[in-house]
Every structure is written in structure tokens, then in C-alpha cells.
Amino acid sequence: MHDHGVSLETLYQARRRIADKVVRTPLIRSAALSERFDAEILLKLETHQPTGAFKLRGAVNMLVALIERHGRGALAAGVVTASTGNHGRAVAYAASSLGIPAVICLSRLVPDNKVAAIEALGAETRRVGASQDEAFAEVERLVSEHGMTLVPPFDDPRIVAGQGTIGLELMEDCPDLDRVIVGLSGGGLLGGIGAAVKAIRPACRVTGVSLSHGAAMWESLEAGHPVAVDEVESLGDSLGGGIGLDNRCTLALVREVMDDHLQVSERAIATAMVDILQDEKLLVEGAAAVGLSAIEEHGLDVRGQRVALILSGNGVSLATLDRARALAGR
């Protein structure tokens, strides 16, 4: 067990906890991409989760772990988080399925349709301030004054272990996998998958893909400690945001399990989104397309290899897809 608190044992515990609430997603072969790159290109369809993204795994694992350890009464005041997208939806869904009250704090900038989607999953929403930071101040108030329990988006071993169950599934479905390519932001997804893969098949390469601008994990790994960066608008918006200046788990874990790290441009993300829709008839968000972006933009030589790409979520609007198509020139 390392100081990040994630081990093969905690991954298997997570799998047991989430089994009846989370989908064991398909790993499918892409005929078009396999032919194009002269490789076996496999797609892990986290888009099939009830909330449309992998985040549900971590949220369910954390809530069930809390109930197991402290009893349901400890969560009577409810759970709370701040998120504009996949994490907020995941917490709302997980809490509802377990009969626990949930509050999702959002800034006034979050579009009404996203707010409505979270409320439809049974959570209360609070519109606070004009930024994610101001929304998070409300989270901290609810924790300290009302005894609510914070469900962090990535920097917690229970969240990471939940996401890491994807890695266990990959190893079962393709034991001789050569490389897995994972979008990298806060590090919960890559850290979890990497922990599973490296424990079971150390020879498998774990490749992280970050945005070309505003990538906090990239800067933090370079600096050797957590660094704050300015967020920029991106088609891969789920890969924006910081890693937390008091990061306790994911920075150390990512450093341990990741073999190589690439950055991708907006045009590469746009092209990959359109390619996946065209070739696979799958609508994916920008953050879910970056594995393909990395192969295309960096000319990765994957010939003869078995490569898994994590299609992490489908939270994309038609307007964003139109933007991607325009940028890709398609």
C-alpha cells in the first residue's frame, strides 16, 4: 500500500460495492480504427453508464464505503459537491439510488439544461456565485454548518478505486493488452485504471492525454508539486480545472503508474470526436476522444499492438458537436 491509499485490494473492494448500481461496460473492437492503424483498437464504452460517464463508479464506491464504515445515519445530513457536469450527475444518481439526500452546488454560469438534468436525478441544486470556486465555498459551508459529507471529484482513494474498476474489467476482457490511453485531468480515472493495470500486467503501457492549454496535472508533474493554472475554454472541457493545491492522492499515483504523457490540440480533439461519430456511430464528449486524438496528432506507432481507448463520457451538446465539426473542417 502506497501513501495514495489505492491498491489491488481496494480496487476489488470497490468492484464488490458498485456491482449492482454501475454497468460493467462493453469493450468493443473498432474495425475502422484497427484497419487504419494496423492494430487492435478497442473502445471501452463508459458512455453506457446510466449517467453517461465513468464518474458514477467513484461516487457509488465512496458512498457505499462510507455507509459500510460509519452506518447510514452518518450520511443522514446528506452529501454535497460542486460540479458542472459528470461528477455532479454521478453524485446525484448515486445518492438517489442509496436513498441519501444530495446537494449539488453550481455557479450561476451553469446552463439551465445541466441544472435540470441534475435535479431530474433527485438532487437539490444551489446556484451560488459566478465561478466554480464560489460554488465550492457554499459546499464548505454546508459541510461545516450542516454536517453534510463532501464527495470530492477525484482526490480521494475511494473515488479513485471506483474509477479503477474499469482497469479490472480491461484486464479480464483483454489480458494481453499492450497499451491503454486515458484522458488525464485530476487523475482519478488514469490513476485508478493505471493502478489496476500495473498490478495485473506491468508490461502494459499507460498513456495519459492532457489538453495543450490549462492542464494542471501536466504543470504539476513538471513542477513536482501541485500547481494552479488558468482554465481555458476547450472542447475537452471535462479535462479542465485544477488538481487541488493540497492534492493528497492522485498526483503521487499518476506519477507512479503513468508511462508517457501527451498533450493534444483543440483541432485534434475535434477531428477525433467527428471520426468516432462517423466510424463508430458513437457521440462522445471531447475528453472521451483524446485517446484517438493522441494517436492521430502524435503519430503514435501502435502497429501490431492491442490498444484500449477509454470513451469516458457522452456529455456533449449538438452545439458543441457543430463547433467540433467546423474546427475539424468536416
Side-chain angles (χ1 to χ4, degrees):
M1 174 78 75
H2 302 276
D3 57 0
H4 46 63
V6 181
S7 67
L8 201 51
E9 182 184 3
T10 64
L11 291 165
Y12 279 112
Q13 289 169 348
R15 170 133 89 184
R16 173 182 55 75
R17 290 190 192 107
I18 71 174
D20 64 341
K21 293 191 166 45
V22 172
V23 173
R24 190 195 194 288
T25 55
L27 182 69
I28 64 165
R29 179 181 185 272
S30 166
L33 295 177
S34 296
E35 187 177 340
R36 192 197 314 174
F37 298 117
D38 191 20
E40 284 286 303
I41 304 295
L42 307 167
L43 308 176
K44 182 63 168 161
L45 303 185
E46 286 300 294
T47 48
H48 281 37
Q49 293 297 350
T51 55
F54 74 94
K55 289 279 193 182
L56 189 60
R57 294 173 182 263
V60 171
N61 184 49
M62 180 159 182
L63 295 191
V64 176
L66 287 167
I67 292 170
E68 283 179 358
R69 181 150 192 191
H70 304 291
R72 192 170 286 273
L75 296 180
V79 294
V80 62
T81 197
S83 164
T84 60
N86 293 332
H87 178 62
R89 292 186 63 141
V91 172
Y93 183 98
S96 172
S97 74
L98 290 162
I100 298 165
V103 175
I104 314 297
C105 297
L106 308 160
S107 84
R108 286 193 293 270
L109 299 178
V110 177
D112 288 344
N113 65 317
K114 282 194 171 184
V115 180
I118 289 171
E119 288 174 345
L121 293 170
E124 178 191 336
T125 56
R126 297 266 178 103
R127 309 295 291 266
V128 186
S131 72
Q132 185 83 341
D133 284 346
E134 289 180 42
F136 206 81
E138 174 69 2
V139 171
E140 291 173 330
R141 188 187 73 77
L142 290 170
V143 170
S144 64
E145 293 180 19
H146 296 274
M148 297 190 82
T149 299
L150 169 64
V151 183
F154 54 85
D155 192 34
D156 184 287
R158 295 159 294 191
I159 297 288
V160 176
Q163 324 304 25
T165 57
I166 296 169
L168 297 179
E169 293 171 16
L170 286 175
M171 290 289 89
E172 289 166 355
D173 292 347
C174 187
D176 49 359
L177 194 65
D178 295 302
R179 188 197 286 255
V180 57
I181 310 181
V182 190
L184 177 59
S185 173
L189 181 62
L190 183 140
I193 291 174
V197 167
K198 289 298 184 184
I200 296 168
R201 181 170 161 78
C204 181
R205 290 188 76 76
V206 175
T207 299
V209 187
S210 294
L211 302 176
S212 56
H213 300 290
M217 184 62 84
W218 180 283
E219 302 289 346
S220 300
L221 288 165
E222 293 276 301
H225 58 81
V227 172
V229 298
D230 290 333
E231 278 191 64
V232 295
E233 195 177 324
S234 171
L235 287 168
D237 53 2
S238 300
L239 296 182
I243 68 164
L245 293 179
D246 59 346
N247 187 287
R248 291 187 284 275
C249 171
T250 56
L251 180 58
L253 181 57
V254 167
R255 188 184 285 123
E256 183 182 308
V257 302
M258 184 170 65
D259 293 295
D260 45 0
H261 193 181
L262 303 166
Q263 288 178 297
V264 289
S265 67
E266 288 298 295
R267 172 158 291 166
I269 295 172
T271 301
M273 288 172 72
V274 176
D275 283 349
I276 291 167
L277 180 58
Q278 201 162 282
D279 293 341
E280 306 303 326
K281 305 299 178 270
L282 292 168
L283 185 61
V284 298
E285 60 192 78
V290 295
L292 178 56
S293 309
I295 298 176
E296 290 178 336
E297 187 165 34
H298 293 275
L300 287 186
D301 184 2
V302 295
R303 283 173 298 179
Q305 295 181 17
R306 289 181 178 82
V307 181
L309 310 181
I310 310 299
L311 302 194
S312 51
N314 60 13
V316 61
S317 67
L318 289 176
T320 303
L321 183 64
D322 285 342
R323 223 169 78 223
R325 288 181 61 187
L327 190 53
R330 305 271 268 284

